[in-house]
Amino acid sequence: MIVEGDTEYTAFSMIKEMYPEQYRDVQIIRARGKGIIPSVAKVLKQFSKSFFILHDTDEKTTSKGDKNPAWGMNNTIAQLLDDEGKVNIVACKTCFETALFGQEVKAEKPYSALMRIRNDIASRDKVKSLLDYLIGVDGAVLPENCIHWKEIEQLS
C-alpha cells in the first residue's frame, strides 16, 4: 500500500510491530507527500496485482479562501483508477489525524500518532481497522471518516 506521509507510515508500522505475525507480509510505501503518490502508483501498477492508496482529502480552499492545491491532487489520484481494479483508493477526511483521532495535530504528527496508538486503545483499534481494511482482511470495516472512493464527487 502507498500512504501519503510519515504519520500514516508511523501509525501502521506501530501496528505491525504490535501484531508481527498478522502483518509480516504487509508492505507500506511512504510517498512523503500527496504529489508523489501518482508516480509511486504508476510504478506499482507495472508490478503489482493490486494495491491501495491512502491519502488525505484536504480542504477545497486554504484558510485565506484560495483554491487548495492539495485538494486538486485528488483529481490526479483519481486518474490512477483503472477498469481492472488494480488500484483502490481510500481517503481520510480531511486528514489522517482528524479522521482517526478526532483532532488535527500541527506539530510532531508522527510522534503524536505513535503515542495515541500506544496509550489509547480506541485510537489503536481505529488504526488497526483501517490497516485491516487496506490489506483486505475478511470482515474488516473502514473507520468512520474514511472513504473508499472511485468518483471525486464522493470526497465532497
Side-chain angles (χ1 to χ4, degrees):
M1 83 183 72
I2 302 169
V3 298
E4 184 173 331
D6 293 338
T7 304
E8 299 89 342
Y9 182 82
T10 299
F12 291 148
S13 294
M14 183 69 181
I15 297 295
K16 283 180 61 173
E17 187 177 301
M18 294 172 125
Y19 307 93
E21 287 303 309
Q22 187 174 353
Y23 301 109
R24 72 173 166 257
D25 294 330
V26 173
Q27 301 300 316
I28 305 166
I29 300 170
R30 174 179 22 191
R32 296 196 178 242
K34 197 171 187 177
I36 305 300
I37 291 172
S39 298
V40 175
K42 287 176 185 174
V43 172
L44 280 185
K45 283 176 86 169
Q46 298 299 313
F47 299 103
S48 298
K49 292 182 181 176
S50 65
F51 60 93
F52 266 91
I53 294 170
L54 177 68
H55 70 93
D56 300 338
T57 60
D58 295 299
E59 298 284 348
K60 286 185 180 183
T61 57
T62 65
S63 58
K64 295 179 182 179
D66 299 325
K67 285 185 178 181
N68 185 352
W71 173 266
M73 283 302 304
N74 294 331
N75 288 313
T76 305
I77 291 171
Q79 293 172 8
L80 297 167
L81 291 165
D82 56 25
D83 294 333
E84 301 167 24
K86 282 177 111 174
V87 180
N88 292 280
I89 306 173
V90 170
C92 295
K93 295 182 178 180
T94 58
C95 68
F96 185 82
E97 299 83 7
T98 302
L100 295 172
F101 307 141
Q103 64 185 32
E104 187 174 357
V105 177
K106 296 287 185 185
E108 299 185 15
K109 292 164 55 167
Y111 179 74
S112 176
L114 181 78
M115 295 311 295
R116 285 201 72 131
I117 292 166
R118 275 193 185 151
N119 300 320
D120 179 33
I121 293 170
S123 293
R124 180 183 320 137
D125 288 347
K126 285 181 185 177
V127 173
K128 186 177 183 311
S129 179
L130 177 57
L131 180 57
D132 287 347
Y133 185 89
L134 293 171
I135 65 170
V137 171
D138 287 337
V141 177
L142 195 58
E144 188 177 352
N145 296 319
C146 296
I147 182 169
H148 187 165
W149 65 278
K150 294 183 183 206
E151 303 287 332
I152 196 79
E153 294 77 25
Q154 294 174 277
L155 301 181
S156 296

